[in-house]
Amino acid sequence: MLRILSSRPLLLNSLIKNTRQLAVSYRPLSAETLPIPHDIDEDHHHHHRYLIAAPHYELLEVLDHRSLQLRSSRQPRSPSSSVDQSTRLRSNVYRKKQNNANTQSNVPNDEQPIELARPKPSKYKEKKKKKTAESQSLPTPPDRVVDISEKLHLVSSPIDNPILSTSLPDEAAAAEEELEDSQFNETLLPPSVEELTFNDDDKTLNDLLTSLHSTKVRRMHKYTDQQLTFMHKHNEFNRMLQSYVDVSIHNGKLNKVRRFLEELLVDQERRQSMKRLSWRYVSNIHVYNTFFLAYAEKGNLPALQSLFEKMRKYQVKPTLESYAAVLSCLGGMDLFDSSIARRTILDLERQGFRVVDIFSLDCLNHEHMQKILKVLKTLRPDFDIPVRSSGINSKLLNDIYLQQPPPADKESAASVDPWWKDIDFTKKLDDQINMEINQKAKIQSVNIEKPVDEKLSTRRNEFLANIEHQLTVGFLTELEILKRSVQKDFELNIIPFLEIYETREYIDLMLKELNRHFYSSDFYSLPYNSLCIALGKRLYLKYLCTVRQKNGFIDKLRSSYEEYMKYVVTDERFRVHERKKWNEIVKENFAYMDRTDRPWVYIQILQIGEFLYNVMLKHMKINVPLLTTQRQTGNKKNANAVLHVVYRTPGNFNEKQIKVHPSVINFFSNIPQTELEFDCTELPCFVPPLPWLSCTTGGYLLNQTDFVRLPTSADEQEARLRSLPIEKIGGLLDSINVLNSCPWKINTNVLDLLIDVFQRGGSRQLSVPVSVDNAQLPKSLPLEKGLSIGERKRREAILSQNKKLKSEIFSLWCYELYRLSIANHFRNDVFWFPHNLDFRGRVYPVPPHFNHLGSDVARSIILFAEGKPLGPEGLRRLKIHVINLTDLKKKASIDERARYADEIIDDILDSADRPLTGRQWWAKSEEPWQTLACCIEIARAIRSPDHTKYISHFPVHQDGSCNVLQHYAAMGLDDVGAASVNLKPSPLPQDVYSVVVDQVEKERQQDAENGVQIAKVLEGFVKRKVIKQTIMTTNYGVTLYGARQQISRQLRDIDDFPKESVAEASSYLAQKTFYSLRELFRETRKIQDWFNDCAGLISRIRGSAVEWNTPLNLPVVQPYYREMRIRQKGKDIYDNFSSFARPNHIKQKNAFPPNYVHSLDSTHMMLTALQCARNGITFVSVHDSFWTHACDVDRLGQYCREQFIALHREPLLEILSRDFLSKYEFKSSEYTHGDESQKQTMKLLNDTLRRVPQRGTFELDSVIDSTYFFS
């Protein structure tokens, strides 16, 4: 060691001699792994959807340089010959298939060099193209496009075009491609040609886009299919290598995996010397960082130095984690050369990093931090660890965060029930940690079954023991076969992932999976790929938990969490937000924890799951029948597979599923399941969840919780999110922490009633799912011999229908069983729900079976654990709430609802006293079980000595009035629309559905007077129920065809309506409904049309998924792509969410308007949550339904309105337009490479993105006085 130190190895002073050398930092899903075509403006690189972090073009330059070397080394050829050759290589059929088929990612054994730049065409080709363009030129001058782009919308005149809904100007232009790609279209067909009426401008625009062949459209995309394929291969290779290296090092094979890396680098250098461009280029800095941290733990400075030299040689740029590993390695030595540390810090700062930011890294544990601190204190003795940043960078949040919390009110604090004083939080923390270590929890089922027969129990144990033995033998056999099938010693495979644990751990994982199948439906299972992915993810979560235990995570967690719990259960959480408090505690206790998520790639997770399922499918055999006394033997001739693959058609396509042997299903149906087993992430937490500190840290204590719930392979949005500084998304994190911190308890009175009804077989009248035995299904007739063909088909149809009904009834019954069993398990506990987001920013509780977002039953059995006195207005608010739940007085004023509650107080009290034996007024409600729960709360408050001092735990709701239209009306300042959705003050609540029905009826009457026959047939049938669904779903992009289907279903349910007129009547009403909505919400429809125009052109012309940022800086990327086929180990793997595939422009277009508005309603909820927390109010939401205590309803209403106004004061449409232009606008340099029609299309896209709809005259501030905005 002394010899090493005395030699003073040139570690970092020789690593980076030139700070501007070619280097690259790997970023997932980045386009920087491939040069951009030369005909695209380089200034526009950072605007494309694939760019994740700050632009680094070094690898692009490297690849460009290699490509030039490759081209220069070949024999010179004329440009025309290269074009002709490329033309000959592709026949017309092949070109059509290549342009429209799924993007394929075939991994060849011998990679071929790819063409990085499009060759210049010959002069002859140029003349020919020019001549062709002239012959096909449009009779419209180029400047006419400006006028056309301002009139993109189809005519909505009641005479010329009364039926048009939202439509894109490029739909006709895309007709050819949409026809060829019909397998990607949505199931709802578009309106027929006869239903569309175009004016002259629309026809010109139509001709403009139709003149563009799909090949020309693709040339306007940012990247060619070949480039996307290359980027996908390169990206997947680097990500797979990262997880492979991480798991191998965890398994103790550091030297072996280092040799593997050396082989890859040698192969990379060989290909470079041969001037062959390969996607097997190791550019992932996280691969090197994993090695650095491993060598740092061992104190192996020479190995770390050697790898740094390799990294410099292959032009990979170090990150802050790289330098932190060097400092940690130095700090682990008894003696170290301080000059090396100084040069390390100097290089670190030259690269733009700060030393203090090391203590904000999630990849370092407390041992790493101690070593780094030792080095820093040696250089600067007064150095102190900074507190991790908890600030925010959002203009929208400044007023909330700068607001001083109200002073503590001793009188109100004394009246609040100190519910936490009798709780042993240390024990609850131990229970939570043990549950997460075990990855599962067993819960007593509430289902009453006959006692288990001892003989059956014995036979079950013997059967499971036999299965366990078969799985053990099968696992070892298949693993050995896999090892022998590996052709090279250095090859990416899943073997390290199957050697993390002893064989027993994998067998337990498979046995848990089998137990789910044994008690599941005989008629349905999840798709095979979904099952494999779920099983692979369970192994991944188990691995993460193991790594965190190994790193001392649990000990440091305990030291910090007890102090954090004491803070979060009191009102102190309203004064200092959770993220800031946690960072302070971590610094004080020096409790730094390694919270990296160590991601596994979609392909690896799928392959692991397939391997384990393959073991179960091939090696589990039984002897039938199980219910006899016959012993199981090893006779394979009489053996049957326990599981086998079947293909079912649950929808429009065949689906690969798993089916359990009927004898096994029958056998386990005779053995009641007294205990239910759940993954720990399917249950609430016994303690407050870990606060969200970043997009990778938060939720459950040990188990990784996704911040944004996305499909496994849809990681572009996550990469965007990880690239943002914490200050950008600070408000986002804090708002979710507000919801996480709300404690809950069970409403045992309602739960006991529900369990009683459930155990007696359920009740359709009370909305409790019935069991299969009580379902009263139609009797199936036997399929006897001698039946006629017609009779046999009829009986088979009844039998099939009964099987389907049984499956649906059983599924609903099981879901209710899970919910009630979990609730019963937590009946004496206080618990918390961890929350996360969907890709639009909407917030959901993580536990799927039991939460407050569920049905009426789920919401009725939970209460706030924290109680507050009702105060002078609380009882009145409870009475109004119970009437709101019944939906009886939806058109009445608030005061009328309160008076009505007083009038029927006897029914309310009778419901509370005799819920199942009395008059059952509550059972007639729209939300019966919530109504019953509220009746019980009202009865208790009335009967208390002083109802103003009664401690209430009951959550009272305030719901938005057609919230999607509220946001549309506010964005467009639509005065008429605002009045229809209660944005304007009004003495009575407005019902938008009734307004539209009245408008449709008025149109119908006018048509009937003019002699329209179908209008006469519909007399008396234009009702709210018939068109309500269409009105509601119009805001979500429903097509005219879909609207017709919705209305026809409603008309068929009306007995008196003539069935022969259903088709014509549904078409007529759909058209009238669309027209009425356009007339009623003029500004709103302009905005929605503009949204559709932008999204359609972006996805169609730019070939990019639509993305934007919410007002709280959440990056949103719509994950709608075409299916990509990946060739892996001779097998096709299909991926529907890869960002390297072409976007599904039909879904991108139709989904953008509702998705954007949902991102706004989630922002409104988050702003309201932060405002409530700042003012000491308990807040919970179900999207656009806000919950709080009865005494705080008025204050919540005020804050809700204030934040809605603050949100829409922002120029949201202008911000969106600027965002789109920065990402998708065509630059001037791109115009020079297109023909006339392409140039016009480019101008059309640019003009469309700039054309922000004009706003109306609605006074936004009047929302503050609107009683029924949220009520």
Side-chain angles (χ1 to χ4, degrees):
M1 177 62 70
L2 291 176
R3 185 158 50 89
I4 293 174
L5 290 176
S6 62
S7 64
R8 298 182 65 176
L10 299 177
L11 177 62
L12 288 175
N13 58 339
S14 62
L15 292 187
I16 305 175
K17 298 179 180 179
N18 183 2
T19 59
R20 296 187 60 80
Q21 65 187 3
L22 297 181
V24 65
S25 175
Y26 169 80
R27 286 170 301 283
L29 306 181
S30 176
E32 298 161 12
T33 55
L34 193 69
I36 296 175
H38 293 179
D39 59 343
I40 295 178
D41 187 9
E42 291 184 0
D43 293 337
H44 192 53
H45 291 180
H46 68 284
H47 297 154
H48 192 261
R49 65 188 173 96
Y50 292 109
L51 190 61
I52 303 303
H56 294 277
Y57 305 119
E58 292 84 354
L59 181 58
L60 301 183
E61 297 174 9
V62 172
L63 296 180
D64 268 332
H65 176 69
R66 292 182 187 172
S67 178
L68 290 172
Q69 286 181 332
L70 181 63
R71 291 197 294 272
S72 62
S73 64
R74 296 175 181 169
Q75 294 297 326
R77 293 179 296 177
S78 63
S80 60
S81 64
S82 64
V83 174
D84 292 339
Q85 182 180 4
S86 64
T87 305
R88 288 195 299 270
L89 287 175
R90 290 188 176 188
S91 65
N92 291 334
V93 176
Y94 178 75
R95 182 183 293 112
K96 180 178 178 181
K97 179 179 179 182
Q98 186 72 10
N99 285 338
N100 297 287
N102 303 335
T103 305
Q104 297 181 3
S105 178
N106 298 328
V107 183
N109 294 327
D110 189 16
E111 299 92 348
Q112 298 298 323
I114 71 167
E115 184 180 36
L116 295 181
R118 193 177 295 115
K120 296 181 179 179
S122 64
K123 294 182 178 179
Y124 171 76
K125 293 287 183 179
E126 288 278 359
K127 292 179 180 178
K128 186 175 180 181
K129 286 183 179 179
K130 186 175 181 180
K131 185 177 181 180
T132 305
E134 290 175 356
S135 64
Q136 297 178 354
S137 61
L138 297 171
T140 306
D143 55 358
R144 174 65 171 153
V145 178
V146 179
D147 297 330
I148 295 173
S149 64
E150 294 175 355
K151 302 177 181 179
L152 285 174
H153 310 299
L154 301 179
V155 177
S156 59
S157 168
I159 299 175
D160 297 333
N161 190 19
I163 62 175
L164 286 175
S165 63
T166 304
S167 180
L168 264 184
D170 66 335
E171 284 182 347
E176 176 187 353
E177 182 172 344
E178 290 178 14
L179 181 63
E180 294 169 350
D181 301 336
S182 59
Q183 64 269 31
F184 302 115
N185 290 356
E186 58 183 0
T187 56
L188 297 179
L189 298 177
S192 61
V193 178
E194 292 79 5
E195 295 171 334
L196 298 178
T197 303
F198 296 89
N199 63 5
D200 293 338
D201 288 343
D202 298 322
K203 186 177 184 300
T204 304
L205 175 61
N206 207 27
D207 292 340
L208 169 64
L209 293 178
T210 305
S211 67
L212 290 175
H213 189 270
S214 58
T215 304
K216 290 186 177 181
V217 173
R218 297 228 169 191
R219 285 176 183 170
M220 290 188 288
H221 292 173
K222 281 295 186 180
Y223 301 102
T224 65
D225 289 344
Q226 192 179 21
Q227 290 174 321
L228 287 175
T229 302
F230 183 92
M231 287 191 288
H232 178 263
K233 292 176 183 178
H234 176 74
N235 183 65
E236 291 300 296
F237 167 74
N238 276 276
R239 295 176 63 222
M240 290 173 68
L241 179 61
Q242 176 187 347
S243 54
Y244 182 89
V245 168
D246 178 66
V247 173
S248 297
I249 292 176
H250 174 80
N251 293 347
K253 298 181 179 179
L254 174 59
N255 293 332
K256 181 179 178 180
V257 75
R258 173 64 188 271
R259 291 196 299 272
F260 179 36
L261 178 64
E262 295 290 346
E263 287 287 331
L264 288 176
L265 296 178
V266 168
D267 180 69
Q268 178 176 308
E269 190 170 357
R270 177 180 63 83
R271 292 174 185 275
Q272 181 179 359
S273 64
M274 296 172 63
K275 300 180 180 178
R276 296 179 62 188
L277 185 62
S278 171
W279 48 265
R280 292 172 64 88
Y281 186 92
V282 184
S283 62
N284 188 347
I285 182 58
H286 300 297
V287 172
Y288 292 95
N289 287 343
T290 304
F291 279 107
F292 293 156
L293 290 173
Y295 287 131
E297 289 182 2
K298 294 181 177 294
N300 193 340
L301 186 61
L304 198 153
Q305 175 191 4
S306 172
L307 197 58
F308 248 106
E309 291 290 343
K310 290 281 186 183
M311 186 173 68
R312 181 180 65 86
K313 178 180 179 182
Y314 293 105
Q315 302 160 344
V316 179
K317 187 176 181 179
T319 61
L320 187 59
E321 290 90 338
S322 311
Y323 294 107
V326 176
L327 295 176
S328 176
C329 184
L330 293 173
M333 299 177 179
D334 294 334
L335 296 173
F336 66 89
D337 191 339
S338 60
S339 63
I340 298 177
R342 290 192 180 93
R343 289 196 297 271
T344 301
I345 295 174
L346 181 62
D347 284 333
L348 177 155
E349 292 175 345
R350 284 176 178 173
Q351 294 300 315
F353 303 116
R354 299 188 308 166
V355 173
V356 292
D357 292 336
I358 291 177
F359 297 92
S360 297
L361 296 175
D362 287 333
C363 64
L364 305 178
N365 58 34
H366 66 284
E367 292 182 357
H368 295 137
M369 294 296 188
Q370 285 177 339
K371 295 173 182 177
I372 294 171
L373 186 61
K374 171 186 171 182
V375 174
L376 296 178
K377 281 190 172 292
T378 301
L379 301 177
R380 201 175 77 189
D382 60 341
F383 180 82
D384 188 24
I385 300 176
V387 178
R388 189 171 183 174
S389 174
S390 304
I392 55 102
N393 182 13
S394 173
K395 183 181 71 173
L396 199 58
L397 296 174
N398 287 339
D399 291 341
I400 297 176
Y401 278 77
L402 293 177
Q403 178 183 349
Q404 293 297 323
D409 186 353
K410 296 183 179 180
E411 182 178 350
S412 61
S415 63
V416 174
D417 180 26
W419 56 272
W420 63 88
K421 288 190 176 180
D422 297 329
I423 297 177
D424 186 354
F425 282 103
T426 302
K427 181 181 181 303
K428 289 174 72 69
L429 179 62
D430 291 339
D431 291 342
Q432 182 67 32
I433 290 175
N434 291 334
M435 182 177 71
E436 295 197 35
I437 289 175
N438 296 328
Q439 295 283 304
K440 63 181 180 180
K442 290 186 177 181
I443 289 177
Q444 193 72 26
S445 172
V446 298
N447 186 33
I448 296 179
E449 296 278 0
K450 58 185 178 182
V452 181
D453 184 81
E454 291 185 5
K455 293 182 179 180
L456 287 178
S457 180
T458 302
R459 191 160 298 168
R460 176 190 61 184
N461 295 336
E462 291 177 355
F463 170 74
L464 293 177
N466 184 267
I467 289 295
E468 183 178 344
H469 173 72
Q470 293 178 16
L471 288 176
T472 304
V473 174
F475 179 83
L476 295 174
T477 301
E478 294 298 325
L479 183 58
E480 185 63 27
I481 292 173
L482 179 62
K483 290 180 178 179
R484 293 183 180 183
S485 67
V486 175
Q487 298 177 356
K488 302 178 182 178
D489 292 336
F490 302 101
E491 180 180 320
L492 285 178
N493 52 59
I494 61 170
I495 293 176
F497 301 86
L498 300 172
E499 294 178 338
I500 299 174
Y501 301 105
E502 298 292 333
T503 304
R504 173 67 191 175
E505 299 291 335
Y506 294 95
I507 305 306
D508 285 345
L509 205 62
M510 288 186 280
L511 288 174
K512 294 176 191 175
E513 189 74 6
L514 283 172
N515 189 63
R516 293 184 175 91
H517 285 295
F518 291 161
Y519 286 98
S520 64
S521 172
D522 190 25
F523 310 107
Y524 171 79
S525 81
L526 289 174
Y528 180 72
N529 273 10
S530 299
L531 292 170
C532 293
I533 290 171
L535 186 56
K537 287 194 76 172
R538 289 191 186 97
L539 180 63
Y540 164 66
L541 292 175
K542 183 178 180 66
Y543 167 71
L544 274 183
C545 192
T546 302
V547 171
R548 287 167 181 172
Q549 291 181 70
K550 180 180 176 182
N551 291 339
F553 180 90
I554 295 178
D555 294 336
K556 293 300 176 183
L557 183 71
R558 289 182 189 276
S559 65
S560 302
Y561 223 80
E562 291 189 8
E563 184 177 349
Y564 176 72
M565 286 189 296
K566 293 177 182 177
Y567 146 81
V568 82
V569 299
T570 65
D571 288 344
E572 185 64 23
R573 73 178 188 272
F574 298 130
R575 307 184 183 285
V576 180
H577 62 77
E578 292 84 352
R579 189 164 51 97
K580 183 177 181 180
K581 185 65 176 181
W582 177 265
N583 290 334
E584 292 173 354
I585 294 173
V586 166
K587 179 188 181 297
E588 291 172 4
N589 298 337
F590 202 81
Y592 293 95
M593 294 164 275
D594 179 2
R595 288 286 301 190
T596 49
D597 54 352
R598 305 171 186 270
W600 292 1
V601 181
Y602 166 76
I603 295 175
Q604 293 170 323
I605 291 175
L606 180 60
Q607 288 178 339
I608 293 167
E610 285 182 334
F611 177 88
L612 297 178
Y613 259 100
N614 184 52
V615 171
M616 293 186 278
L617 288 166
K618 287 177 63 175
H619 295 275
M620 290 194 311
K621 308 293 180 181
I622 61 169
N623 289 320
V624 294
L626 284 174
L627 295 175
T628 66
T629 57
Q630 179 183 355
R631 302 287 295 176
Q632 292 186 359
T633 65
N635 186 0
K636 297 295 181 182
K637 293 182 179 179
N638 297 326
N640 291 282
V642 175
L643 300 180
H644 55 275
V645 172
V646 295
Y647 289 86
R648 298 186 175 115
T649 312
N652 296 326
F653 303 98
N654 276 349
E655 198 174 80
K656 185 178 180 181
Q657 297 183 1
I658 292 294
K659 181 177 175 65
V660 184
H661 195 284
S663 297
V664 179
I665 288 284
N666 187 33
F667 176 69
F668 277 89
S669 67
N670 290 279
I671 302 175
Q673 195 176 15
T674 58
E675 286 186 332
L676 304 174
E677 188 172 279
F678 295 96
D679 292 338
C680 62
T681 53
E682 295 178 317
L683 299 175
C685 292
F686 289 108
V687 295
L690 188 69
W692 283 106
L693 309 173
S694 67
C695 61
T696 60
T697 305
Y700 289 93
L701 308 190
L702 290 177
N703 284 269
Q704 183 67 26
T705 309
D706 293 329
F707 182 64
V708 180
R709 47 178 72 190
L710 290 166
T712 306
S713 57
D715 46 11
E716 185 176 7
Q717 182 173 356
E718 183 180 358
R720 292 274 197 283
L721 196 57
R722 293 188 184 209
S723 68
L724 295 176
I726 297 298
E727 291 77 10
K728 274 277 188 182
I729 58 172
L732 198 70
L733 301 173
D734 292 340
S735 64
I736 305 175
N737 289 336
V738 171
L739 305 181
N740 279 357
S741 300
C742 177
W744 299 89
K745 70 176 184 177
I746 296 296
N747 189 338
T748 54
N749 294 307
V750 178
L751 176 63
D752 291 338
L753 289 170
L754 275 165
I755 291 176
D756 180 53
V757 175
F758 182 80
Q759 290 176 344
R760 288 192 278 113
S763 170
R764 286 193 175 95
Q765 292 76 19
L766 298 178
S767 303
V768 179
V770 297
S771 62
V772 176
D773 296 335
N774 296 338
Q776 298 178 355
L777 297 173
K779 187 177 180 181
S780 300
L781 299 175
L783 300 176
E784 301 169 344
K785 293 182 179 180
L787 294 174
S788 64
I789 295 177
E791 179 64 18
R792 187 174 187 85
K793 286 185 176 180
R794 187 181 72 85
R795 295 189 179 190
E796 286 177 348
I798 294 175
L799 181 62
S800 175
Q801 184 67 18
N802 282 350
K803 284 185 177 180
K804 183 179 179 181
L805 286 174
K806 272 187 178 180
S807 177
E808 293 173 354
I809 291 170
F810 181 71
S811 176
L812 292 172
W813 182 85
C814 286
Y815 192 79
E816 200 62 50
L817 172 66
Y818 295 162
R819 176 159 46 208
L820 295 179
S821 298
I822 294 172
N824 193 54
H825 179 73
F826 285 90
R827 67 182 300 130
N828 298 319
D829 285 309
V830 175
F831 52 90
W832 287 259
F833 292 123
H835 291 72
N836 61 3
L837 310 174
D838 68 4
F839 75 95
R840 303 164 299 184
R842 278 198 151 190
V843 182
Y844 296 84
V846 176
H849 307 298
F850 170 60
N851 57 61
H852 61 285
L853 249 71
S855 65
D856 171 53
V857 170
R859 299 182 187 188
S860 68
I861 54 179
I862 57 176
L863 299 169
F864 292 138
E866 180 181 5
K868 288 188 176 182
L870 282 179
E873 289 293 320
L875 180 58
R876 179 175 180 270
R877 280 295 175 181
L878 285 175
K879 292 177 180 179
I880 294 171
H881 181 59
V882 77
I883 302 303
N884 288 344
L885 291 170
T886 64
D887 212 19
L888 294 174
K889 294 288 183 180
K890 57 192 172 189
K891 295 184 179 181
S893 67
I894 292 293
D895 294 334
E896 288 178 17
R897 297 175 200 181
R899 287 195 296 270
Y900 180 72
D902 291 331
E903 292 172 6
I904 61 167
I905 194 65
D906 290 340
D907 288 331
I908 293 175
L909 297 177
D910 177 75
S911 298
D913 297 337
R914 299 182 300 161
L916 300 179
T917 59
R919 296 191 293 270
Q920 290 193 340
W921 171 83
W922 63 275
K924 302 169 188 175
S925 170
E926 285 288 319
E927 308 285 354
W929 290 99
Q930 291 182 80
T931 303
L932 175 60
C934 194
C935 289
I936 295 173
E937 187 74 3
I938 291 172
R940 289 178 173 175
I942 290 176
R943 291 163 180 167
S944 65
D946 183 356
H947 70 82
T948 62
K949 296 181 180 179
Y950 171 74
I951 303 297
S952 175
H953 300 260
F954 195 84
V956 177
H957 314 168
Q958 292 192 75
D959 300 342
S961 175
C962 203
N963 194 237
V964 172
L965 284 175
Q966 286 180 327
H967 284 282
Y968 269 123
M971 276 190 291
L973 296 181
D974 186 347
D975 194 69
V976 176
S980 302
V981 291
N982 295 300
L983 291 186
K984 295 182 72 173
S986 173
L988 293 175
Q990 302 299 308
D991 181 17
V992 65
Y993 306 111
S994 300
V995 174
V996 176
V997 169
D998 293 341
Q999 180 70 18
V1000 172
E1001 175 61 17
K1002 181 180 178 181
E1003 293 287 328
R1004 187 207 62 78
Q1005 291 175 0
Q1006 184 177 353
D1007 288 344
E1009 292 173 0
N1010 294 334
V1012 178
Q1013 185 60 33
I1014 192 61
K1016 297 178 180 178
V1017 173
L1018 280 166
E1019 184 175 358
F1021 294 103
V1022 180
K1023 300 178 180 178
R1024 187 176 189 269
K1025 182 179 180 181
V1026 173
I1027 63 175
K1028 178 181 178 180
Q1029 185 182 13
T1030 300
I1031 298 170
M1032 190 184 308
T1033 54
T1034 299
N1035 309 317
Y1036 299 92
V1038 69
T1039 63
L1040 189 61
Y1041 174 83
R1044 289 202 306 263
Q1045 296 296 101
Q1046 294 169 348
I1047 294 173
S1048 64
R1049 283 194 294 267
Q1050 297 294 334
L1051 291 176
R1052 287 192 188 98
D1053 292 339
I1054 301 176
D1055 297 333
D1056 299 336
F1057 191 81
K1059 298 299 183 284
E1060 65 275 6
S1061 301
V1062 167
E1064 186 180 2
S1066 61
S1067 179
Y1068 175 85
L1069 285 180
Q1071 296 169 16
K1072 291 297 181 183
T1073 302
F1074 275 32
Y1075 170 68
S1076 298
L1077 282 169
R1078 275 192 173 273
E1079 289 298 305
L1080 184 62
F1081 295 94
R1082 288 180 179 272
E1083 309 303 327
T1084 295
R1085 298 306 298 180
K1086 289 179 184 178
I1087 295 172
Q1088 194 169 21
D1089 289 346
W1090 183 64
F1091 284 168
N1092 276 315
D1093 294 344
C1094 292
L1097 289 171
I1098 287 168
S1099 57
R1100 175 85 173 96
I1101 304 302
R1102 263 321 200 181
S1104 174
V1106 181
E1107 60 177 277
W1108 69 96
N1109 293 322
T1110 71
L1112 290 184
N1113 298 319
L1114 173 69
V1116 180
V1117 182
Q1118 292 194 143
Y1120 310 125
Y1121 299 94
R1122 297 184 176 182
E1123 188 176 66
M1124 170 179 275
R1125 188 181 66 166
I1126 306 166
R1127 192 74 176 171
Q1128 187 75 13
K1129 305 294 183 184
K1131 183 178 179 181
D1132 289 339
I1133 296 175
Y1134 294 92
D1135 186 356
N1136 292 301
F1137 301 100
S1138 174
S1139 58
F1140 292 100
R1142 292 296 180 191
N1144 186 327
H1145 63 86
I1146 299 291
K1147 290 183 178 179
Q1148 291 283 345
K1149 173 196 69 175
N1150 292 337
F1152 172 63
N1155 285 343
Y1156 179 76
V1157 177
H1158 281 320
S1159 71
L1160 292 184
D1161 72 43
S1162 70
T1163 301
H1164 175 224
M1165 183 278 296
M1166 293 175 182
L1167 293 172
T1168 306
L1170 293 171
Q1171 179 78 334
C1172 288
R1174 200 66 175 169
N1175 288 275
I1177 296 177
T1178 300
F1179 176 87
V1180 174
S1181 79
V1182 181
H1183 303 319
D1184 59 349
S1185 177
F1186 298 168
W1187 298 12
T1188 191
H1189 290 90
C1191 60
D1192 292 328
V1193 168
D1194 292 335
R1195 294 170 66 198
L1196 171 60
Q1198 177 189 350
Y1199 301 146
C1200 166
R1201 288 158 175 79
E1202 289 175 354
Q1203 295 308 318
F1204 184 87
I1205 294 171
L1207 172 63
H1208 285 283
R1209 275 199 185 123
E1210 297 290 309
L1212 298 176
L1213 298 179
E1214 288 78 4
I1215 292 172
L1216 181 65
S1217 174
R1218 291 197 297 268
D1219 194 19
F1220 279 169
L1221 286 169
S1222 68
K1223 293 181 174 72
Y1224 309 115
E1225 182 184 23
F1226 284 100
K1227 300 299 181 182
S1228 57
S1229 58
E1230 296 176 87
Y1231 277 77
T1232 60
H1233 298 280
D1235 60 23
E1236 192 62 32
S1237 58
Q1238 285 177 319
K1239 290 178 181 178
Q1240 292 185 36
T1241 306
M1242 294 178 187
K1243 183 173 177 58
L1244 171 65
L1245 182 138
N1246 290 354
D1247 290 345
T1248 302
L1249 299 185
R1250 288 191 179 95
R1251 181 182 47 79
V1252 177
Q1254 293 183 353
R1255 308 177 83 183
T1257 59
F1258 171 62
E1259 291 292 336
L1260 189 61
D1261 289 338
S1262 63
V1263 173
I1264 199 72
D1265 299 319
S1266 176
T1267 304
Y1268 303 102
F1269 166 63
F1270 264 65
S1271 63

